[in-house]
Amino acid sequence: MHYRTIMRNLREDHDLTQKEVGKVINKSQQGYSHIEDGRAELKIDDLIKLCKFYGVSADYFIGMTEK
């Protein structure tokens, strides 16, 4: 599974909006949307913040493991 799908699934599983998660990585709703939609890349610093926020490993977030 591609990290963008995992990113969206995690957000939706936690009943969060793009705006709410965007605040975690200091992005606007639009900026966050661009990452989920593939129009912008996720920076490594933002990946780390999101992994900590959701309590998941980077391996899970990027699709290397299912746990």
Side-chain angles (χ1 to χ4, degrees), residues 26-40:
N26 298 316
K27 303 275 188 239
S28 66
Q29 179 276 326
Q30 185 178 21
Y32 182 85
S33 173
H34 286 181
I35 296 169
E36 269 194 4
D37 294 341
R39 291 178 278 169

Side-chain angles (χ1 to χ4, degrees), residues 14 16 20-21 24 47-56:
H14 286 83
L16 297 167
E20 290 169 326
V21 181
V24 173
L47 169 66
I48 293 167
K49 289 176 189 175
L50 290 172
C51 288
K52 288 180 180 179
F53 177 73
Y54 288 120
V56 299

Side-chain angles (χ1 to χ4, degrees), residues 1-60:
M1 190 179 310
H2 196 272
Y3 83 87
R4 294 178 198 286
T5 303
I6 294 168
M7 189 173 172
R8 175 175 286 126
N9 289 345
L10 282 168
R11 179 179 58 76
E12 291 175 349
D13 289 348
H14 286 83
D15 295 320
L16 297 167
T17 65
Q18 290 180 336
K19 184 176 182 177
E20 290 169 326
V21 181
K23 288 181 183 179
V24 173
I25 59 173
N26 298 316
K27 303 275 188 239
S28 66
Q29 179 276 326
Q30 185 178 21
Y32 182 85
S33 173
H34 286 181
I35 296 169
E36 269 194 4
D37 294 341
R39 291 178 278 169
E41 292 298 321
L42 179 64
K43 295 180 181 179
I44 194 75
D45 291 341
D46 295 336
L47 169 66
I48 293 167
K49 289 176 189 175
L50 290 172
C51 288
K52 288 180 180 179
F53 177 73
Y54 288 120
V56 299
S57 70
D59 284 348
Y60 174 80

